[in-house]
Amino acid sequence: MSTIEQFNQYVMPSYGRYDLVLEKGEGRQAVDENGKEYIDFGSGIGTNSLGYCNEDWVKAVCDQAHRIQHTSNYYYTKVQADFAKALCETAGYTDMFFGNSGAEANECAIKIARKYSFDKYGKGRHNIITLVNSFHGRTLCTLSATGQEVFHNYFFPFVEGFINVEANNIDDLRAKLDDTVCAVMFEYIQGEGGVMALQQEFVDEIFRLCAEKDVLTIADEVQTGVGRTGKFLAGDNFGKKADLTTLAKGLAGGVPIGVCLSGEKCAKVLTPGTHGSTFGGNPISCAGGLAVLNTVNKPGFLDEVTAKGEYIRKKLLSSPEVASVSGIGMMIGAELKTKKAGDVAKAALDKGLLILTAKTKVRLLPPLTITYEEIDKGMEILLGVLNS
Ligand SMILES: *Cc1c(COP(=O)(O)O)cnc(C)c1O
């Protein structure tokens, strides 16, 4: 039986998958079971931020596995303390909570927002504004938060208390941000929603209104964070620091992690017993995260991300098939004129390039460590497919 047949016999069919069995990876190249190589412009959805099996990262993760792999949260480990310090200092926050995924990070932020408001104002102020076309995760609560009707099926009843506002519609925001609202949650660049950056004026208005009404800002930076946009946080591109910021995907270089960062305002909201996660703060994940932070914090690294992003954008725009390019840094969307993004992704895969799609767009989230040579190689394939 082939790997694919065996997998499909035992694993629930909740994903549409390509017929591709990846066996190993090296740098920015993945290798399938037949030895065919693929340039990776998707990073496992922005997760392998340092590419495949980066030497420092492998060493950090393996050393930690040899030392101690898990302890439960009844005890402390040094690697957790070191990672928490490095992350808070890098991101400019004072406190954090450890989870294992983007959805969990967002669940934590939602719980903090509701308890912050309950502690201070009592009942009736539990609503959270999220944006149309947002994506916040697959758990029932984060699915409820997600502002896309296509996700609101089958699993009724959904979690109450989420109100959707149209992205970049200031009037809609003003009308709905009433005294039942405890938080506004948003992605600076909607990832799954089509690589759509929010407008500066809209972001300004969110922060202005929230400050005025003591409503919390929650930035879901699960996809945009950790250097993806050429700044450590995408919020830095907008000159903003949300009360709560969630990170996951690229944070630990490909091992599971999710964190909720907080400033002093919300630092003491979660008291003993109010939240938890067995695997949260797993030492191996923390070791992987430290390796990522060490790389991202190297002088000039983030400027390189910006420069490489610009380089890719320019190449994309040289194609007559590309109508427009969106996103910031190395979070890139390309709207096409005649071709379907899914068909382009399939054709690129056949030619040895892995890319993503988001709605109608081709989406690129290359490893942050990609070289210009690798970009050229990948773009040659992509432009070949687009222009054929
Ligand atoms: C991927 C993603 C999530 C969900 O992360 P999981 O790790 O799959 O739970 C949440 N928010 C955004 C913006 C994402 O891109």
Side-chain angles (χ1 to χ4, degrees):
M1 202 191 282
S2 75
T3 297
I4 292 177
E5 283 166 350
Q6 183 182 325
F7 186 100
N8 287 337
Q9 180 171 334
Y10 294 104
V11 181
M12 295 177 189
S14 65
Y15 286 96
R17 294 175 202 268
Y18 295 102
D19 287 339
L20 173 64
V21 181
L22 292 175
E23 191 163 285
K24 58 182 182 179
E26 196 173 289
R28 274 62 56 182
Q29 298 225 110
V31 182
D32 74 12
E33 57 181 352
N34 305 314
K36 183 176 167 186
E37 293 180 346
Y38 301 81
I39 292 270
D40 190 353
F41 276 8
S43 312
I45 319 187
T47 294
N48 297 330
S49 41
L50 306 185
Y52 291 100
C53 307
N54 171 280
E55 221 173 281
D56 296 338
W57 179 88
V58 169
K59 187 175 181 326
V61 164
C62 291
D63 284 356
Q64 189 59 46
H66 281 291
R67 204 170 296 126
I68 188 166
Q69 84 277 25
H70 176 77
T71 61
S72 91
N73 283 305
Y74 293 125
Y75 315 110
Y76 297 91
T77 59
K78 179 164 165 47
V79 68
Q80 292 174 319
D82 287 346
F83 176 64
K85 177 174 193 281
L87 178 58
C88 284
E89 286 177 359
T90 301
Y93 281 94
T94 58
D95 292 79
M96 57 161 297
F97 176 86
F98 278 123
N100 310 290
S101 66
E104 277 181 73
N106 287 336
E107 290 263 356
C108 177
I110 290 164
K111 283 179 75 173
I112 290 176
R114 287 192 170 168
K115 187 166 183 296
Y116 172 86
S117 188
F118 178 80
D119 289 347
K120 210 163 162 182
Y121 302 101
K123 280 188 183 164
R125 201 172 175 276
H126 59 260
N127 284 326
I128 294 175
I129 288 180
T130 60
L131 303 183
V132 174
N133 250 343
S134 59
F135 182 81
H136 298 299
R138 295 287 196 163
T139 60
L140 260 180
C141 179
T142 55
L143 211 49
S144 307
T146 291
Q148 300 191 47
E149 282 310 317
V150 290
F151 288 111
H152 296 165
N153 280 311
Y154 320 121
F155 308 110
F156 302 103
F158 285 89
V159 176
E160 283 177 56
F162 292 96
I163 298 170
N164 294 148
V165 160
E166 211 181 302
N168 299 322
N169 185 334
I170 289 178
D171 292 336
D172 198 23
L173 175 70
R174 284 187 186 146
K176 288 172 182 163
L177 213 173
D178 59 22
D179 54 15
T180 68
V181 172
C182 64
V184 178
M185 182 169 174
F186 55 89
E187 301 152 87
Y188 287 104
I189 308 167
Q190 296 186 330
E192 305 305 311
V195 197
M196 299 289 291
L198 295 182
Q199 290 165 3
Q200 181 74 48
E201 308 84 75
F202 185 71
V203 173
D204 288 345
E205 190 63 8
I206 291 177
F207 279 79
R208 196 188 68 73
L209 283 174
C210 285
E212 188 182 292
K213 295 169 182 285
D214 192 22
V215 166
L216 299 181
T217 47
I218 303 175
D220 178 348
E221 293 230 31
V222 166
Q223 189 161 156
T224 57
V226 200
R228 176 55 55 193
T229 67
K231 305 277 186 195
F232 188 74
L233 297 179
D236 296 335
N237 293 296
F238 293 82
K240 293 288 187 285
K241 177 136 279 170
D243 294 307
L244 300 166
T245 288
T246 57
L247 298 174
K249 290 194 165 82
L251 181 57
V255 283
I257 195 164
V259 308
C260 178
L261 293 162
S262 150
E264 261 151 29
K265 193 176 189 174
C266 301
K268 304 287 179 267
V269 172
L270 294 179
T271 48
T274 53
H275 196 43
S277 164
T278 299
F279 277 114
N282 176 267
I284 295 173
S285 297
C286 289
L290 268 174
V292 169
L293 292 181
N294 285 341
T295 302
V296 171
N297 279 328
K298 281 190 181 144
F301 184 87
L302 292 176
D303 291 339
E304 271 297 299
V305 172
T306 302
K308 288 178 214 162
E310 285 310 311
Y311 185 74
I312 295 171
R313 272 157 220 279
K314 220 177 255 170
K315 287 200 173 238
L316 277 171
L317 285 168
S318 76
S319 167
E321 174 59 23
V322 172
S324 62
V325 175
S326 64
I328 304 176
M330 276 212 278
M331 180 165 178
I332 300 168
E335 190 74 75
L336 307 179
K337 286 184 186 155
T338 63
K339 292 190 159 66
K340 286 214 165 71
D343 296 341
V344 171
K346 180 75 189 57
L349 184 142
D350 290 340
K351 294 188 159 53
L353 173 71
L354 306 181
I355 60 170
L356 302 164
T357 62
K359 301 271 172 194
T360 56
K361 290 180 186 170
V362 160
R363 175 172 45 148
L364 308 181
L365 301 171
L368 303 180
T369 52
I370 198 163
T371 64
Y372 283 96
E373 205 185 337
E374 290 161 339
I375 292 174
D376 286 346
K377 210 166 146 188
M379 285 307 296
E380 194 182 315
I381 296 174
L382 182 54
L383 291 174
V385 169
L386 289 173
N387 299 342
S388 68

